[in-house]
Amino acid sequence: MSLIFSAMARIFFALMLAVSLFLLFRGHNEPGGGFVGGLVAASAFTMLALAENVSVARRALHLHPVVLMGAGLLLAFFSGLPGVLSDRSFLAHWWFEVGSLHLGTATLFDIGVYCVVVGGVLCLIFRLYEDPAQ
Amino acid sequence: MGFQGFEFPGVIAVALLGALVARTAAMVFGRHTGWVMSLVPVMLLAALLRRVPAVADSGVVLTSIPWVPSLGVEFSFRLDGFSLLFALLITGIGTLVVIYAGAYFSQKPRDQIGRFLGLIFLFMAAMLGTVLADDLIVMFVFWELTSLTSFMLIGFNSGSAGARKAALQSLLVTGGGGLVLFAGILLIGINLGTFSVTEILARSDELAASSWSGPIVILIMIGAFTKSAQVPFHFWLPNAMEAPTPASAYLHSATMVKLGVFLLARFDQVFAELPAFGTTLVVVGSLTMLVAAFQALRAEGFKAVLAQSTVASLGILVMLIGLNGEIAAVATVGFIVAHAFYKAALFFCAGTAIHATGQTSLRKLGGLSRFLPVTAVAAVLASLSMAGLPPFVGFISKEYLFEAQLTSDWNVVPVVVAVMVNAVMVGVAGVVSIRPFYFGSKRVTEVHHGETPGLLAGPLILASAGILIGLFPDALARTLIGPAASQLYGEPIDVSFALWHGLTPMLALSVLVVTIGVLIAIFWDKIHGGLRHRKLLAEAFGDGGYRWVLGAILGFARRSTRVLQNGDQHRYTAVVVSAVIMGLAIGMLSGATGVSLVPTGGPLRWPLVIVLALSVFGALATITSRSLIASLVSVGVTGFAVAVVFMLNGAPDLALTQFAVETLLVVLLTAILLRLPARRRHSRTSSERQGDALLAFGFAGVMFVAIASMTAAPIDLRLSEYFGQTSYLEAHGRNVVNVILVDYRAIDTLGEIAVVVFATLAVWALLRGAAPARTKG
């Protein structure tokens, strides 16, 4: 890969991750959300894999993508349990108001979606980008 | 009710807990696991016994915890005389089975003991749930759990092909029957608006009068017949003898197979007014008795003979339920008790004999009383009860059986059938107890494994209980059999059991039965030898029909797989696209809004036209380009153009997602290209390409008409307005799209991401297979 792409990839990687988190957290009020955020994050890791190689991208992710995917699904599931306790209704979300900031179990749910998308896309991309001859 | 409300669910929970700790217990206690773990069912037995006086006095104890209130499903339980009797049998015989299994597996690895006992406890919990449940949905869940655990136990020796086949057969028959039963339950729920047995019993007239009563009766009867192995579903039970003997003793003689009888007895009051119900039960029960008696004469294996006699006994029970009157109710309950006692004991003895010699065929067993003296005595005692000789409890229950038949308004046919079948049972009793233990002492010269206390406890306790109850029947009759029979009959019955009824017609029939039975036992070799080699009979009475049906289904599956899953991506795409075209066309033509061909999207805006032209350009480039890379990029162009269309129409969320998806799609497809040849070859003939074009145009046309029709129809904005108004107030978010995804429709989203996860895992595994010798996943 070219030197320029390789050098810029690091910067863009950080930027895209930041954007993806931004999209994730503002999703409740403005366009965005866990799904889009996850796609952007997956693109960031994909770019890193293209610019360097897959093992660099794997290291940057720290977790195995399949683990991330499963963790996301579990997180989304568990975010619904508090509602069972209070309202006897699965996925009825809890909310905490800290000043103007609204935080709730819905945010956890969205983070779960984010993790599923990132893990799902990346476990395929990494597999495909790894040289089959290796 | 307080704490009391949790008592019956608690009983089930304790059994489940037993299943959880069984493996650990086996690792700690080894050979003594059976004795230690038997404390669990003993505790349950004690808890249930405490309830006997209350049930005998007041009849019914109900408890309930809400489960799915929106569907009217409650975790409700009903303890009455009948369900108490079953629960006591389940825990009582369960205790002995656990002790016996510990001894039976004592020379096996510890994890095998643990796995087996875990399944036995799981089964116990499922059985208790089935008989105690008041809600039919709850009952059904536990009912299917018994089928599943039975599957696991029959296939316990998973290395044996026979065991796997028998396990699958029992699962297909009983699980399939369970689904039929479920349909019946749902019909009851739709008609009466309740799933509660208590309420259904109270409103039985209403159900019997409804126009759906016919289908409901048929569905429920099929469910019961599959579980209790009635003709034509009788074949799975003898094959289930592949299970380890403790499981056979528990599931396939004393408890699970009686669930069908339990169900029919529960609904006996409800359907009593339908004349076909009783008649069908008497006919099916009698046919089952005849077929099973006949098969018992042909069977070779120790357990197989016992299994066939179990099928015959189940036939007797079904027939008894079909008869009217209080004597029939008492006879049913009495026979359930007597049969559970002697049949479990005989299975235990058979297991000990097979375990000691490694021989399953009755013809190769003999003279075992030298090696297994106590087992031999227990076997003789149990089979005397089975033969219906005084002073055993089997004698009393048989007298009641004949009395129920003679007092019913049926003609002489059921009596003749019962005499013949009972005579065969006497013959079987003689053959399974005397022959292997006392005759032919030359056949077995040494045994691998002698008697141990664990192997003796079960048969001895059950066999001696058979005499004790026979000698002093009144105590049991008043406390258990009376309340159970009253529940079955619907009105209180004063039951007084006595061993000696005087010189009655029933006694004459008993004498006749025993005489014929002894003759059968004496001439067993000749009868058995004459019947054994009839192939035609084996096909007619065995599982030939089942194998034919299964073969036909598998053949159909293979043929349709060859057509649909031929590995050609073009074919898959064509099938999917054609299905979508047809679905949309049918939907539009049959829809209420009608079909419109004129688009009504307002004035045409220039920016939109340019974007759309771009997307058409992308599409054209995709199909004409010879390079795969260029095609991919062109597909991306079309996708981005669509995203821009979303943005121009005020859907920023959709546009954002579309952009991200398109980017990743191109990246993903490029990655796949790494593994494909770079040049693109025309693998399609020109006529095939014409077909593809036709499909593409068809799809486009249908989509156009669909969108035109949708925009022409007035839009119902109520939902959008509701979401718009409540989004921030109730769900704390201004982005309605996102709020719908994570809050209003969160459970849909959860389902979707679960599908994404599982689909991705499958693809991931496929890619792993395509690239072997990879170091890292």
Side-chain angles (χ1 to χ4, degrees):
Chain A
M1 286 292 164
S2 76
L3 188 66
I4 299 175
F5 183 38
S6 181
M8 294 301 285
R10 288 284 171 170
I11 302 168
F12 269 106
F13 174 69
L15 272 177
M16 284 169 84
L17 271 192
V19 168
S20 84
L21 290 177
F22 173 68
L23 281 174
L24 166 65
F25 286 108
R26 78 170 206 154
H28 220 54
N29 291 317
E30 307 286 333
F35 190 73
V36 171
L39 287 176
V40 172
S43 311
F45 283 100
T46 307
M47 195 188 53
L48 199 63
L50 276 177
E52 307 275 347
N53 56 48
V54 173
S55 51
V56 171
R58 277 191 192 279
R59 272 200 299 280
L61 187 62
H62 293 292
L63 282 174
H64 192 286
V66 172
V67 174
L68 189 65
M69 190 165 72
L73 190 58
L74 278 182
L75 186 66
F77 175 77
F78 283 115
S79 79
L81 292 185
V84 179
L85 292 180
S86 61
D87 301 315
R88 287 183 162 272
S89 173
F90 184 57
L91 285 168
H93 288 301
W94 282 10
W95 287 98
F96 307 97
E97 294 187 31
V98 186
S100 65
L101 193 64
H102 295 246
L103 282 178
T105 50
T107 321
L108 287 182
F109 185 86
D110 225 8
I111 295 173
V113 174
Y114 179 91
C115 293
V116 167
V117 172
V118 175
V121 172
L122 286 183
C123 76
L124 297 187
I125 294 246
F126 287 169
R127 261 289 155 73
L128 288 167
Y129 276 4
E130 271 162 337
D131 189 354
Q134 257 177 17
Chain B
M1 282 228 181
F3 173 72
Q4 224 178 18
F6 289 91
E7 187 173 326
F8 307 138
V11 166
I12 299 163
V14 169
L16 279 178
L17 205 68
L20 278 179
V21 301
R23 196 187 160 83
T24 322
M27 289 301 164
V28 176
F29 298 109
R31 287 189 302 121
H32 308 291
T33 316
W35 294 100
V36 176
M37 287 304 284
S38 70
L39 291 176
V40 176
V42 164
M43 258 161 49
L44 297 179
L45 184 65
L48 287 164
L49 279 175
R50 255 176 4 104
R51 285 297 188 155
V52 169
V55 170
D57 286 348
S58 64
V60 181
V61 185
L62 287 169
T63 58
S64 155
I65 306 167
W67 183 23
V68 192
S70 50
L71 292 179
V73 178
E74 279 189 60
F75 223 62
S76 57
F77 295 90
R78 174 190 167 97
L79 192 68
D80 56 37
F82 201 53
S83 59
L84 179 65
L85 177 82
F86 266 84
L88 288 173
L89 283 178
I90 293 161
T91 48
I93 294 185
T95 309
L96 301 176
V97 166
V98 169
I99 296 173
Y100 184 84
Y104 188 84
F105 281 98
S106 62
Q107 288 160 333
K108 294 271 166 58
R110 291 182 173 198
D111 63 321
Q112 268 207 35
I113 306 179
R115 194 159 68 88
F116 186 81
L117 286 182
L119 286 171
I120 287 284
F121 276 107
L122 191 60
F123 169 77
M124 192 184 291
M127 276 301 292
L128 288 170
T130 315
V131 298
L132 291 177
D134 184 50
D135 191 289
L136 285 178
I137 300 284
V138 176
M139 188 211 74
F140 171 74
V141 171
F142 284 117
W143 173 287
E144 289 293 62
L145 189 57
T146 63
S147 294
L148 282 178
T149 41
S150 166
F151 166 75
M152 305 282 280
L153 283 166
I154 297 171
F156 189 77
N157 296 319
S158 52
S160 139
R164 293 197 301 270
K165 220 166 131 186
L168 187 65
Q169 186 181 59
S170 94
L171 183 68
L172 288 177
V173 174
T174 58
L179 291 182
V180 175
L181 168 67
F182 189 49
I185 291 174
L186 288 182
L187 279 181
I188 292 178
I190 293 168
N191 272 287
L192 290 187
T194 177
F195 289 114
S196 157
V197 169
T198 309
E199 202 168 325
I200 291 166
L201 288 179
R203 290 161 61 190
S204 56
D205 302 347
E206 215 176 304
L207 190 65
S210 94
S211 54
W212 284 96
S213 60
I216 290 173
V217 173
I218 292 170
L219 293 171
I220 286 185
M221 281 199 295
I222 290 177
F225 290 167
T226 52
K227 199 76 163 179
S228 282
Q230 298 296 297
V231 167
F233 308 109
H234 58 289
F235 51 85
W236 74 265
L237 182 55
N239 291 342
M241 292 304 126
E242 291 281 347
T245 308
S248 306
Y250 197 26
L251 278 69
H252 306 125
S253 69
T255 56
M256 185 185 86
V257 289
K258 296 218 178 83
L259 274 186
V261 174
F262 175 82
L263 186 76
L264 292 173
R266 266 273 185 262
F267 281 98
D268 188 28
Q269 279 181 56
V270 180
F271 297 136
E273 289 167 32
L274 302 171
F277 180 67
T279 313
T280 312
L281 292 190
V282 173
V283 170
V284 170
S286 303
L287 277 178
T288 308
M289 285 154 68
L290 283 176
V291 169
F294 196 75
Q295 291 284 79
L297 291 174
R298 291 183 61 238
E300 247 176 80
F302 201 153
K303 284 171 75 182
V305 173
L306 290 177
Q308 297 291 2
S309 77
T310 304
V311 176
S313 308
L314 294 169
I316 292 176
L317 284 170
V318 168
M319 182 209 69
L320 280 174
I321 294 171
L323 298 176
N324 300 319
E326 53 181 279
I327 303 288
V330 178
T332 309
V333 176
F335 190 62
I336 288 174
V337 175
H339 178 259
F341 276 57
Y342 68 67
K343 196 52 71 65
L346 282 175
F347 265 105
F348 286 145
C349 296
T352 309
I354 294 169
H355 195 47
T357 59
Q359 280 295 346
T360 55
S361 170
L362 271 179
R363 294 193 303 158
K364 293 182 180 152
L365 289 169
L368 283 174
S369 62
R370 277 178 298 156
F371 308 104
L372 309 168
V374 186
T375 309
V377 171
V380 169
L381 291 180
S383 54
L384 286 177
S385 185
M386 175 169 167
L389 291 175
F392 292 90
V393 63
F395 172 72
I396 304 175
S397 81
K398 199 200 292 173
E399 297 276 282
Y400 264 98
L401 159 67
F402 285 132
E403 192 178 349
Q405 286 188 326
L406 292 175
T407 53
S408 77
D409 38 13
W410 273 81
N411 54 22
V412 75
V413 177
V415 181
V416 173
V417 171
V419 167
M420 277 158 51
V421 171
N422 273 300
V424 173
M425 303 267 261
V426 174
V428 165
V431 168
V432 298
S433 62
I434 298 173
R435 279 176 60 111
F437 291 104
Y438 294 102
F439 282 7
S441 54
K442 285 186 295 273
R443 290 200 192 110
V444 176
T445 48
E446 55 168 355
V447 296
H448 316 302
H449 191 284
E451 294 171 327
T452 59
L455 290 177
L456 291 177
L460 271 187
I461 292 176
L462 287 174
S464 32
I467 307 185
L468 276 180
I469 299 172
L471 288 175
F472 310 101
D474 221 33
L476 188 78
R478 285 194 196 291
T479 50
L480 283 177
I481 294 182
S486 311
Q487 193 58 45
L488 193 54
Y489 186 57
E491 282 163 41
I493 309 175
D494 191 25
V495 180
S496 61
F497 266 18
L499 195 57
W500 181 248
H501 283 219
L503 292 171
T504 56
M506 286 76 81
L507 188 68
L509 285 175
S510 279
V511 173
L512 182 64
V513 163
V514 172
T515 317
I516 304 176
V518 169
L519 286 176
I520 291 177
I522 293 172
F523 294 106
W524 181 273
D525 278 326
K526 279 196 176 147
I527 302 170
H528 178 68
L531 292 174
R532 198 158 56 86
H533 297 296
R534 301 292 164 92
K535 280 277 182 321
L536 199 66
L537 292 172
E539 284 295 313
F541 292 151
D543 58 0
Y546 163 83
R547 277 185 281 122
W548 186 85
V549 171
L550 197 66
I553 294 173
L554 288 178
F556 176 72
R558 269 193 294 275
R559 278 193 295 280
S560 57
T561 308
R562 263 205 302 279
V563 175
L564 292 173
Q565 303 280 345
N566 65 344
D568 178 8
Q569 181 63 43
H570 295 108
R571 168 92 58 104
Y572 295 156
T573 314
V575 168
V576 171
V577 171
S578 323
V580 172
I581 293 176
M582 274 200 290
L584 272 178
I586 292 170
M588 279 190 299
L589 291 175
S590 61
T593 47
V595 178
S596 158
L597 291 174
V598 189
T600 52
L604 217 53
R605 285 168 292 161
W606 278 113
L608 201 59
V609 172
I610 294 168
V611 174
L612 287 177
L614 198 65
S615 94
V616 171
F617 167 75
L620 284 176
T622 308
I623 53 172
T624 51
S625 160
R626 295 296 296 264
S627 145
L628 282 174
I629 299 272
S631 291
L632 273 184
V633 175
S634 315
V635 169
V637 167
T638 307
F640 283 119
V642 172
V644 174
V645 172
F646 288 147
M647 218 154 71
L648 289 175
N649 283 296
D653 262 298
L654 218 50
L656 203 57
T657 310
Q658 178 79 12
F659 274 126
V661 167
E662 283 305 326
T663 313
L664 269 175
L665 197 66
V666 171
V667 170
L668 254 177
L669 289 175
T670 327
I672 292 170
L673 277 190
L674 290 176
R675 306 194 166 199
L676 290 178
R679 282 183 303 120
R680 174 185 189 179
R681 276 174 308 196
H682 279 303
S683 59
R684 305 284 277 170
T685 64
S686 65
S687 68
E688 278 172 334
R689 286 173 69 85
Q690 278 165 12
D692 297 345
L694 199 67
L695 267 184
F697 278 114
F699 185 72
V702 167
M703 285 307 283
F704 177 81
V705 178
I707 291 172
S709 316
M710 269 197 295
T711 46
I715 303 174
D716 185 357
L717 285 173
R718 272 178 304 173
L719 209 56
S720 315
E721 278 166 14
Y722 168 77
F723 285 139
Q725 280 162 9
T726 57
S727 170
Y728 188 71
L729 296 175
E730 290 184 9
H732 303 258
R734 286 194 201 85
N735 180 358
V736 180
V737 176
N738 190 264
V739 170
I740 289 174
L741 282 178
V742 302
D743 203 331
Y744 290 118
R745 295 275 178 267
I747 202 145
D748 292 354
T749 312
L750 187 66
E752 281 155 19
I753 59 175
V755 169
V756 167
V757 167
F758 294 126
T760 312
L761 273 181
V763 177
W764 181 69
L766 282 178
L767 290 175
R768 189 191 189 96
R774 188 178 304 282
T775 49
K776 231 183 128 185

